[in-house]
Amino acid sequence: MKKYFYFLLLSFLIVSFAHAQVKITGKVHSADHLPLPLATAYLMKANSAVVLKAVVTNESGEYQFTDVGPGNYLVEAKMVGYTSNRSSSFAIDKSDYSPAVIELIADNRKLEEVTVEGKRPMVESKPGKLILNVENSPLAAGNNALDIVQRAPGVSLDNNNNLQLMGQSGVAVTIDGRQTYMSGEQLLSFLKSTDGNQIKSVEVITTRSAKDDAEGAVGTINIVLKKNNRMEGFNGTFNLTAGSGEKFKGNSSLSLNYKKNNTTLFGSYAYSDEKSYRKLYIDRVIQNDGKKKYFNQKSTLDEDERNHSYRFGVEQKTSSRNTLTLQFNGSNNTEYNDNDSRTNIGTTVSAYDTILSSSSSFKELFDRYSANLNNEFRIDSNGRKLTVDLDWSKFRSNKRVTYRNEYFDADMKSVAPLENERSRMPIGIDIYVAKFDYEHPLSKKSKLEMGGKYSNVKSDNDLLFEKLQKDFVWINDPTRTNHFVYKEQIVAGYLDYNTSIGQWSLKAGVRGEYTMSDGNSLTKSKRVKRDYFQLFPNANLTYSLNENHILSIGYTRKVTRPNYRQLNPFDYYIDKLTFERGNPYLNPQFSNEFTLNYTLLQRYNVTLGVNDVKDAIVESMGQDSVRGETWVVRENLGRNLTSYLNLNIPVTVFKIWSMNNNITGIYFDFDGMISGIPIRRKSFLLQANSMHNLKLSKSLMANVNLRYFSPFKYSVYDLEGRWDMEVGATKTFKDQRSSLKLAVSDLFNTGNQNLVTTFGQFDSQIRQRQDRRIIRLTYSYKFGNLKNNYRKKDTSNEEKERAQ
């Protein structure tokens, strides 16, 4: 691994040479010497008045420009309701500089209220982070969180609909920086039930600080929800969507906000009814004593998912320095799923002698509730700050399934008794989290951050499986019944140090996590207890030649802990002959990642990364050649070395046409054991995403999104290439309150994922056809006060948005 580090370090040092750069700090006040928060300060060339940078003042009316090179400058300040003003010109050499306070005079013209409108680029590039902005964009309208997240740069879904980042599993998903503590089916259900209109942006994070949780070997996908706005009075938004593919899909949402002085009340409600279908084709060949048996399976899955989600809370500024936020989130999801399949079984591909007819029907209730208390206290005007977070979450799921299996011969005559089975699987998860974060500036150029976190998680999974007897009595099947309880506690503490010297800035820290886990299968009397302490250091060194050339090199150590389902020593049946098996002895995997990032002209971003995973959690397979059963299990099987290069290239073609192109090349190198067979597997994956926005008129905008995934090898699977296209148009009406969007996803129905397994004794092919080509029509209406009031007497009440 050292050679990769030396290579990245050498590449970094080659472009490093000295040009002293400094900070410019100042203040913007009113004529009566009151600070003006939310004023815009522009750094300009003194001779040409060309704008170089722009920032917004904080609640103390302060602004700061960093990494400023030698030259002659001036600062101009502007704010709605005031006349603009400039500082005197000044020269920058090698020392920090503070211009005189800029005073703004209230505009004598009567200006009760104005509309402030801004537009962010669809994709923003920041060192170690790519941000997909979806607030008020056509991408959010009518879609759920899963639809939006998988369109973020570098994000994809694997064959089991699990999220991947840079082609790799082990992704941590957070909401406003807080862990969801969900994975697999639960995370999938949660994302599908989250209304896209509530999302502000999706952050794809490959580097992290010690303040962040160490969970997530590849990186973190952070979903940022819309925050409370600063509009005085009452306002809200209503959305209504109707869609159709093979099945009907519809959703609606309502969000409300009321702000008066220092108090903000907010709430939202969304309902969705999504019907869909999926056709699955599985061909398997199993050998037994040199003889081959062929299995040809065709399945049709009909799904109907209905969800209610809601959120409400209050934000109270209790003083000029303290802000308290209390919020509650909930969702209630009901899913119906009917699965009919037919499996032809024979000794040749063309002829079969046995037919397995299977059907299953299930209903699942999934409820999620969470509450959060956040208090941010700004200790002084020098930047000292203490934040306290208390979180409580509760998940309840109850799945009831009925199964019907019957064997026939080639003439459709029954050859075995009809099997009727049913199962009940209640799952309960309770989570308690408490954490604090403290920031302490050491000087104008350095800062120390420290904090701690405690989390307590308990998962209770009690599965009952029953068979119907000839006398129509249901009896328990002990071989498929299991009660599994998992408890996990994590105590963490961290220390982060930030400093800058001239053109250089350094952020380094260490996080320590002590984990105690207890997985107990009460039915099978299998119990695995663990406790371990691990340190997770990280460092990021940045060199700024000027504002147009920024280079950084980083290192992070991360962990991926197995989820509760993966640890449960039980077989989760997909159908009669295929299932997923839990592994109670599955260990966490640890990874070391090195990244090199270059940002050009504050627009273009290049990231080179190397991720080295030891004891990698890999999906393996097993099969019973006599019974014809095949299963999937996860094990710690070897070393996975992944290298990737990500390019983010925004382009303005014409004034009305802008695009963002994101290209990721990924090279996999796996060395280990899969299904007891030594394997060294190398593969290359290319992901490309091109988003196009066309402003056809002031009120009409069109968008096109193209995605491509090349063929590649992952674990024991060979995945075929795929691509898809989404097109849409949005019309904003004259009142500026209502809009209409028409969109079609996967226009040519080419985005289905197919795979082949030809490894050792395994020979199978899986093809699927999902309900992906969907046309949606979305109507949005904004009501209430949509304009900001900027009056001199109110400026002291405008607080800075709380950092999540």
Side-chain angles (χ1 to χ4, degrees):
M1 200 64 232
K2 290 183 178 179
K3 62 181 180 181
Y4 294 102
F5 175 76
Y6 292 143
F7 168 73
L8 294 177
L9 182 60
L10 179 62
S11 301
F12 180 77
L13 293 175
I14 287 176
V15 298
S16 302
F17 51 91
H19 280 283
Q21 292 188 316
V22 299
K23 291 182 181 179
I24 298 174
T25 57
K27 295 182 178 181
V28 180
H29 285 182
S30 62
D32 50 1
H33 309 296
L34 293 176
L36 291 179
L38 302 178
T40 303
Y42 300 92
L43 180 64
M44 310 170 73
K45 284 285 188 181
N47 56 351
S48 62
V50 173
V51 176
L52 302 176
K53 295 184 178 183
V55 296
V56 177
T57 58
N58 62 17
E59 61 182 6
S60 301
E62 300 172 343
Y63 64 84
Q64 182 180 95
F65 299 104
T66 59
D67 300 327
V68 180
N72 295 317
Y73 302 93
L74 60 85
V75 176
E76 183 177 56
K78 292 183 178 182
M79 186 171 183
V80 177
Y82 295 83
T83 58
S84 61
N85 195 9
R86 293 182 178 181
S87 70
S88 302
S89 62
F90 52 89
I92 292 296
D93 187 9
K94 297 182 180 180
S95 302
D96 293 347
Y97 185 80
S98 296
V101 174
I102 301 176
E103 291 189 355
L104 301 184
I105 301 174
D107 197 338
N108 292 327
R109 293 172 296 175
K110 186 175 181 180
L111 184 60
E112 291 298 318
E113 53 182 28
V114 298
T115 301
V116 179
E117 181 178 338
K119 186 173 181 63
R120 289 179 177 271
M122 181 67 75
V123 177
E124 287 185 275
S125 297
K126 294 185 178 181
K129 180 188 296 186
L130 290 171
I131 304 172
L132 175 66
N133 292 304
V134 298
E135 186 175 19
N136 301 321
S137 78
L139 185 59
N143 288 326
N144 58 46
L146 183 64
D147 296 326
I148 295 172
V149 166
Q150 62 179 305
R151 287 168 171 78
V155 178
S156 60
L157 295 178
D158 66 10
N159 55 299
N160 294 317
N161 284 329
N162 295 312
L163 287 169
Q164 292 184 319
L165 181 57
M166 305 303 175
Q168 306 168 76
S169 301
V171 185
V173 178
T174 59
I175 306 293
D176 286 336
R178 300 182 180 92
Q179 285 194 57
T180 59
Y181 295 95
M182 290 181 288
S183 58
E185 289 184 354
Q186 293 172 347
L187 179 60
L188 190 66
S189 296
F190 170 71
L191 293 177
K192 289 168 66 176
S193 64
T194 301
D195 180 35
N197 292 294
Q198 307 300 320
I199 297 176
K200 177 184 178 182
S201 61
V202 178
E203 298 176 341
V204 178
I205 305 169
T206 54
T207 62
R208 65 184 67 178
S209 67
K211 180 179 179 179
D212 304 314
D213 292 307
E215 181 70 29
V218 181
T220 302
I221 298 173
N222 183 40
I223 301 173
V224 182
L225 301 179
K226 293 181 180 178
K227 303 298 187 297
N228 314 324
N229 57 49
R230 299 183 178 89
M231 298 176 188
E232 288 283 339
F234 174 76
N235 55 77
T237 304
F238 172 73
N239 297 280
L240 180 65
T241 299
S244 179
E246 297 289 336
K247 303 275 187 177
F248 171 79
K249 308 171 192 297
N251 60 73
S252 60
S253 65
L254 175 68
S255 61
L256 304 172
N257 192 86
Y258 176 76
K259 183 179 186 302
K260 183 67 174 178
N261 296 326
N262 295 325
T263 304
T264 301
L265 301 174
F266 56 92
S268 63
Y269 168 77
Y271 172 75
S272 64
D273 186 348
E274 299 279 322
K275 297 180 174 63
S276 62
Y277 89 103
R278 181 159 60 113
K279 289 186 178 295
L280 192 64
Y281 307 91
I282 304 176
D283 294 317
R284 292 184 293 138
V285 181
I286 296 180
Q287 297 192 41
N288 183 25
D289 294 333
K291 297 180 180 179
K292 292 184 178 181
K293 183 175 286 189
Y294 296 85
F295 296 79
N296 174 258
Q297 178 180 336
K298 297 179 181 179
S299 301
T300 301
L301 294 85
D302 285 299
E303 301 175 348
D304 184 357
E305 190 167 358
R306 302 169 191 176
N307 179 75
H308 302 265
S309 60
Y310 34 89
R311 174 179 178 234
F312 56 87
V314 58
E315 181 180 286
Q316 179 67 46
K317 189 169 184 180
T318 58
S319 71
S320 60
R321 294 181 179 178
N322 195 79
T323 302
L324 178 69
T325 304
L326 177 64
Q327 62 177 312
F328 177 84
N329 296 269
S331 64
N332 307 106
N333 180 275
T334 304
E335 183 177 352
Y336 302 89
N337 191 319
D338 292 317
N339 179 6
D340 293 307
S341 69
R342 169 174 168 153
T343 305
N344 297 332
I345 307 171
T347 55
T348 65
V349 177
S350 57
Y352 54 87
D353 50 48
T354 305
I355 299 172
L356 171 60
S357 176
S358 302
S359 64
S360 64
S361 178
F362 82 72
K363 175 183 179 181
E364 180 178 14
L365 304 177
F366 178 71
D367 301 319
R368 174 184 180 268
Y369 308 101
S370 66
N372 169 256
L373 174 67
N374 175 279
N375 191 83
E376 181 187 273
F377 177 57
R378 297 182 181 274
I379 300 173
D380 54 32
S381 59
N382 294 325
R384 289 198 299 158
K385 182 173 69 174
L386 177 65
T387 304
V388 177
D389 258 299
L390 300 176
D391 286 282
W392 165 81
S393 299
K394 175 181 178 179
F395 304 90
R396 293 294 182 267
S397 174
N398 195 350
K399 181 188 293 187
R400 296 178 180 270
V401 189
T402 60
Y403 307 88
R404 185 180 184 277
N405 299 293
E406 190 169 8
Y407 285 93
F408 300 90
D409 62 17
D411 297 323
M412 291 304 296
K413 293 181 180 179
S414 179
V415 296
L418 174 66
E419 296 179 359
N420 283 294
E421 301 166 323
R422 68 183 185 186
S423 66
R424 176 182 59 84
M425 187 190 299
I427 300 175
I429 302 176
D430 295 282
I431 302 167
Y432 301 91
V433 180
K435 68 174 183 175
F436 75 92
D437 302 289
Y438 173 68
E439 297 182 16
H440 186 92
L442 301 175
S443 66
K444 289 185 178 180
K445 297 183 178 181
S446 62
K447 180 174 65 172
L448 192 67
E449 296 178 73
M450 63 186 71
K453 178 179 179 179
Y454 170 75
S455 64
N456 189 318
V457 181
K458 179 183 177 181
S459 173
D460 193 322
N461 185 340
D462 189 5
L463 173 63
L464 174 66
F465 202 97
E466 298 176 310
K467 291 185 176 183
L468 183 64
Q469 301 301 297
K470 294 181 179 179
D471 54 1
F472 299 101
V473 175
W474 291 96
I475 65 168
N476 179 46
D477 182 354
T479 63
R480 298 175 66 179
T481 295
N482 183 47
H483 188 188
F484 181 70
V485 178
Y486 181 80
K487 299 177 182 179
E488 181 182 86
Q489 298 180 72
I490 299 176
V491 181
Y494 75 89
L495 188 68
D496 251 333
Y497 176 70
N498 299 265
T499 189
S500 61
I501 303 174
Q503 297 165 270
W504 297 86
S505 62
L506 171 69
K507 184 168 187 176
V510 63
R511 183 182 185 88
E513 294 188 352
Y514 177 57
T515 305
M516 297 163 284
S517 65
D518 181 4
N520 188 9
S521 175
L522 303 177
T523 305
K524 297 189 175 184
S525 298
K526 287 185 178 181
R527 188 171 192 175
V528 178
K529 299 180 70 174
R530 295 188 180 96
D531 67 279
Y532 52 92
F533 176 78
Q534 292 286 334
L535 289 175
F536 300 95
N538 69 85
N540 194 80
L541 183 64
T542 301
Y543 173 78
S544 300
L545 174 60
N546 52 51
E547 63 269 17
N548 292 326
H549 301 278
I550 301 174
L551 187 69
S552 65
I553 184 172
Y555 163 75
T556 308
R557 186 170 188 257
K558 309 172 186 177
V559 63
T560 298
R561 299 177 180 90
N563 64 52
Y564 323 130
R565 174 169 175 149
Q566 294 171 351
L567 292 168
N568 190 351
F570 182 72
D571 296 337
Y572 298 89
Y573 276 81
I574 301 169
D575 56 48
K576 178 71 175 178
L577 300 176
T578 54
F579 54 88
E580 179 182 344
R581 174 165 290 172
N583 178 9
Y585 304 105
L586 193 60
N587 290 313
Q589 69 175 26
F590 296 91
S591 65
N592 295 287
E593 182 170 29
F594 298 88
T595 56
L596 181 66
N597 190 90
Y598 172 61
T599 302
L600 173 66
L601 302 175
Q602 302 182 31
R603 286 172 53 85
Y604 309 102
N605 199 74
V606 181
T607 302
L608 173 65
V610 178
N611 192 27
D612 188 10
V613 182
K614 301 291 180 59
D615 294 325
I617 298 176
V618 178
E619 189 173 287
S620 183
M621 297 181 70
Q623 69 182 21
D624 187 322
S625 58
V626 178
R627 299 169 60 91
E629 295 179 337
T630 301
W631 61 86
V632 172
V633 64
R634 288 170 178 82
E635 300 175 289
N636 300 101
L637 295 175
R639 180 186 183 188
N640 194 15
L641 186 64
T642 304
S643 306
Y644 63 88
L645 178 67
N646 180 271
L647 307 175
N648 194 75
I649 309 169
V651 178
T652 301
V653 184
F654 302 110
K655 184 177 180 180
I656 65 169
W657 180 10
S658 63
M659 71 171 76
N660 185 277
N661 304 295
N662 190 269
I663 304 171
T664 306
I666 309 162
Y667 180 73
F668 302 92
D669 185 352
F670 176 79
D671 186 5
M673 302 277 292
I674 296 182
S675 303
I677 303 173
I679 183 175
R680 181 74 182 270
R681 189 164 237 205
K682 301 179 181 181
S683 180
F684 177 79
L685 168 65
L686 177 67
Q687 296 180 352
N689 189 358
S690 183
M691 296 182 177
H692 301 251
N693 291 315
L694 295 95
K695 192 170 184 178
L696 304 178
S697 69
K698 187 176 181 180
S699 62
L700 183 61
M701 177 173 286
N703 61 283
V704 179
N705 185 23
L706 288 163
R707 293 189 302 168
Y708 170 75
F709 301 88
S710 71
F712 76 106
K713 301 178 186 298
Y714 175 74
S715 183
V716 297
Y717 307 111
D718 294 340
L719 288 88
E720 297 181 1
R722 54 193 171 96
W723 67 280
D724 63 65
M725 172 189 283
E726 180 181 49
V727 297
T730 303
K731 169 68 176 178
T732 303
F733 296 100
K734 290 184 178 180
D735 59 5
Q736 298 296 310
R737 293 178 176 266
S738 53
S739 63
L740 199 63
K741 176 199 172 184
L742 181 66
V744 182
S745 60
D746 200 356
L747 181 63
F748 299 101
N749 201 20
T750 52
N752 293 294
Q753 189 170 83
N754 304 312
L755 59 92
V756 175
T757 300
T758 53
F759 172 76
Q761 60 180 325
F762 304 101
D763 186 349
S764 63
Q765 183 182 60
I766 301 176
R767 308 188 71 83
Q768 58 181 332
R769 182 169 177 261
Q770 293 177 283
D771 190 6
R772 296 178 51 88
R773 182 165 50 195
I774 303 164
I775 182 170
R776 285 187 172 95
L777 183 65
T778 301
Y779 173 74
S780 298
Y781 180 73
K782 300 178 181 179
F783 54 89
N785 178 36
L786 303 182
K787 300 180 180 181
N788 278 323
N789 290 336
Y790 285 89
R791 298 184 178 89
K792 186 173 66 174
K793 65 180 182 180
D794 290 331
T795 56
S796 61
N797 291 329
E798 297 293 339
E799 67 267 32
K800 185 179 179 181
E801 183 176 332
R802 179 174 62 82
Q804 295 294 329

